[in-house]
């Protein structure tokens, strides 16, 4: 009789969980953050659809006459596939290894930024030299610098923790490093990437406990430097004037051409859009619709609803990054925590700038929408950054279960 009752007792829904059940629940608790993976994949796949929609008519122009309609879709699909594979490999690397490699990766990327400026090595597009050509693909070092600045700033903050309240030993060395990066980026020129990198470095230093007075003073100084760079550059100054009055007769067909057509695209989209594939602005009216102004195409075809979905998905990623970082710091993993929060700052700032430019809230800058816009370097480095974020979360879960990361 007892032998007959044992199987019933084992499978009874009212029975207390046995060792097998507890072991299954424990293993489930130690899985990676699946929602973060799904949100990332949704953004990338949605981006592929919109890149195809935004670029399908490009072969009609003389510049892309030799391209097929699906050229950019195929290349973006390849970029996404390679990026996912790279992310899977990066996820297996412990966070401690990234801390050890951070200074070397930073210096290596500095060398790449110098190589971009060497005639014959750097590739120019639309007047800017930001790429290294490897025939099969173009590498953009500034994209890699964003991630490696996250790692370097987090490592620097941990190493210099006792000096964070001192100007000469705590802040000046980091300021010098950011200054060198900024000089190289301004020579390309790439003011947008420099802005993102400054926000990353300042954000991590602030979270790491830098002296508030010094932080405020340096922040004001950086704003002054950016203002001076704009004032001393005639074409940047014209961009600001065009941004302030885009529909003025002197600007609508000049420096504000992209902005005016982006705003027209959002206006046409209204609440629910004109339908997927129905954009008119992508028909050679809105330049770079598949890269910098992808959100405008989303706004025209899917309306306010489509744009809000994108905004909420990015908000969720940023919020999750800060939650993971806070948990890591609570577990005394300061570098991992600052890295997680730094990745959140990076994705958040770049997405905010791109969206602000598309909506006319910020002056026009050549920054892509993370995970979604066309481009191999951008998608790959975004995936690698989020893979590191997943690794931080994984190690958090291991430590909370009493294991060793």
């Amino acid at each position: 009789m007892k032998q007959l009752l044992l199987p019933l007792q084992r499978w009874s829904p009212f029975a207390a969980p046995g060792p097998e059940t507890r072991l299954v629940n424990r293993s489930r608790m130690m899985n990676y953050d699946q929602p973060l993976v799904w949100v990332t994949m949704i953004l990338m796949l949605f981006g592929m659809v919109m890149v195809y929609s935004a670029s399908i008519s490009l072969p009609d122009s003389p510049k892309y006459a030799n391209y097929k309609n699906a050229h950019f879709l195929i290349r973006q699909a390849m970029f996404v596939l390679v990026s996912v594979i790279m992310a899977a490999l990066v996820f297996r690397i412990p966070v401690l290894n990234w801390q050890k490699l951070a200074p070397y990766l930073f210096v290596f990327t500095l060398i790449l930024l110098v190589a971009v400026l060497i005639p014959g090595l750097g590739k120019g597009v639309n007047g800017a030299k930001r790429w290294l050509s490897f025939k099969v693909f173009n590498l953009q070092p500034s994209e890699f610098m964003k991630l490696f600045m996250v790692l370097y700033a987090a490592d620097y903050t941990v190493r210099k923790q006792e000096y964070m309240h001192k100007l000469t030993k705590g802040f000046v060395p980091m300021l010098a490093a950011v200054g060198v990066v900024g000089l190289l980026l301004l020579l390309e020129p790439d003011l947008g990437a420099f802005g993102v990198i400054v926000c990353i470095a300042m954000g991590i230093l602030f979270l790491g406990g830098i002296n508030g007075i010094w932080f405020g003073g340096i922040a004001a100084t950086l704003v002054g430097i950016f203002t001076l760079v704009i004032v001393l550059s005639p074409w940047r100054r014209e961009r600001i004037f065009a941004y302030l009055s885009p529909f003025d007769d002197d600007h609508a067909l000049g420096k504000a051409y992209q902005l005016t057509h982006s705003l027209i695209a959002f206006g046409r989209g209204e609440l629910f859009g004109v339908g997927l594939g129905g954009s008119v602005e992508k028909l050679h009216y809105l330049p770079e619709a598949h890269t910098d102004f992808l959100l405008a195409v989303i706004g025209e075809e899917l309306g306010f609803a489509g744009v809000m979905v994108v905004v909420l998905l990015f908000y969720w990623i940023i919020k999750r990054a800060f939650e993971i970082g806070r948990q890591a710091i609570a577990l005394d993993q300061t570098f991992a925590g600052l890295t997680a929060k730094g990745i959140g700052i990076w994705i958040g700032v770049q997405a905010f700038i791109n969206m602000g430019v598309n909506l006319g809230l910020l002056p026009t800058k050549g920054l892509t929408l993370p995970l979604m816009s066309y481009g191999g370097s951008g998608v790959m480095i975004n995936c690698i950054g989020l893979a590191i974020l997943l690794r931080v979360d994984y190690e958090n879960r291991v430590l909370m279960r009493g294991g060793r990361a």
Side-chain angles (χ1 to χ4, degrees):
M1 187 67 179
K2 290 182 179 180
Q3 291 177 347
L4 292 174
L5 287 175
L6 278 174
L8 293 176
Q9 184 178 8
R10 181 179 298 175
W11 292 103
S12 172
F14 303 103
E20 298 87 355
T21 306
R22 288 196 296 269
L23 183 60
V24 170
N25 290 337
R26 179 178 171 184
S27 65
R28 286 178 182 171
M29 287 292 289
M30 292 189 58
N31 283 344
Y32 56 88
D33 191 335
Q34 293 185 13
L36 180 57
V37 174
W38 281 112
V39 170
T40 302
M41 291 303 299
I42 288 170
L43 280 172
M44 287 196 296
L45 294 176
F46 184 30
M48 282 177 55
V49 173
M50 296 314 301
V51 164
Y52 180 51
S53 178
S55 64
I56 193 171
S57 63
L58 287 179
D60 296 338
S61 67
K63 182 178 179 180
Y64 300 102
N66 296 326
Y67 289 38
K68 295 181 179 179
N69 290 339
H71 172 82
F72 291 98
L73 171 65
I74 295 171
R75 287 184 64 85
Q76 186 73 354
M78 292 172 58
F79 295 152
V80 169
L81 178 61
V82 172
S83 299
V84 170
I85 294 172
M86 288 293 296
L89 296 174
V90 165
F91 176 75
R92 301 178 65 86
I93 302 175
V95 176
L96 182 61
N97 290 0
W98 288 110
Q99 185 174 5
K100 294 176 180 177
L101 291 171
Y104 303 105
L105 293 172
F106 178 78
V107 173
F108 175 71
T109 313
L110 272 181
I111 295 172
L112 292 181
L113 288 175
V114 173
V116 167
L117 302 174
I118 299 175
L121 290 179
K123 180 181 178 181
V125 177
N126 296 330
K129 294 184 67 174
R130 302 174 184 173
W131 295 267
L132 292 172
S133 179
F134 292 94
K135 294 185 179 180
V136 179
F137 68 97
N138 295 324
L139 181 70
Q140 190 172 358
S142 60
E143 291 291 339
F144 286 81
M145 180 54 78
K146 295 169 188 175
L147 173 60
F148 296 152
M149 177 57 76
V150 171
L151 299 174
Y152 180 74
D155 174 60
Y156 179 87
T157 303
V158 172
R159 286 188 290 108
K160 300 286 186 177
Q161 191 62 50
E162 58 181 314
Y163 302 115
M164 292 305 290
H165 290 279
K166 298 181 179 179
L167 179 64
T168 54
K169 292 185 177 181
F171 194 83
V172 170
M174 191 65 194
L175 180 65
V178 175
V180 172
V181 174
L183 177 63
L184 294 173
L185 289 175
L186 290 177
L187 291 174
E188 292 185 2
D190 195 351
L191 184 61
F194 181 38
V196 173
I197 288 169
V198 167
C199 289
I200 290 170
M202 294 292 290
I204 291 177
L205 288 176
F206 177 77
L207 294 171
I210 193 171
N211 183 289
I213 296 176
W214 290 121
F215 180 84
I218 298 298
T221 303
L222 288 172
V223 171
I225 291 173
F226 273 100
T227 304
L228 188 63
V229 167
I230 293 171
V231 169
L232 295 178
S233 175
W235 63 274
R236 287 194 178 102
R237 198 165 58 242
E238 290 175 11
R239 236 180 215 190
I240 295 296
F241 292 144
Y243 151 72
L244 294 173
S245 55
F247 288 98
D248 188 85
D249 293 340
D250 296 331
H251 301 146
L253 296 177
K255 293 293 183 182
Y257 182 80
Q258 281 181 303
L259 177 56
T260 54
H261 282 280
S262 178
L263 295 175
I264 291 170
F266 283 110
R268 290 192 74 244
E270 296 184 348
L271 191 58
F272 295 106
V274 298
L276 186 62
S279 170
V280 171
E281 287 300 320
K282 70 184 182 184
L283 303 177
H284 312 297
Y285 293 103
L286 180 60
E288 308 298 334
H290 60 303
T291 55
D292 302 346
F293 284 85
L294 188 67
L295 190 71
V297 178
I298 295 173
E300 185 178 5
E301 296 189 348
L302 303 177
F304 175 78
V307 172
M308 283 308 300
V309 168
V310 174
V311 171
L312 290 174
L313 289 175
F314 275 109
Y315 167 76
W316 191 91
I317 289 179
I318 298 160
K319 177 175 175 290
R320 187 71 189 114
F322 273 81
E323 289 173 351
I324 292 171
R326 186 164 57 247
Q327 184 63 61
I329 292 174
L331 293 168
D332 202 26
Q333 303 295 310
T334 307
F335 171 79
L338 291 176
T339 296
K341 291 184 178 184
I343 291 170
I345 293 171
W346 161 35
I347 299 293
V349 168
Q350 183 161 335
F352 173 77
I353 293 176
N354 178 273
M355 293 176 183
V357 166
N358 277 253
L359 292 165
L361 302 175
L362 296 172
T364 305
K365 284 309 307 163
L367 278 177
T368 57
L369 188 60
L371 297 169
M372 298 187 70
S373 292
Y374 174 79
S377 297
V379 174
M380 180 183 295
I381 205 66
N382 293 154
C383 285
I384 291 174
L386 290 172
I388 295 174
L389 178 62
L390 280 168
R391 179 70 194 193
V392 173
D393 176 69
Y394 169 77
E395 293 188 5
N396 287 349
R397 298 180 186 218
V398 171
L399 291 171
M400 285 189 291
R401 309 311 282 176
R404 295 179 62 183

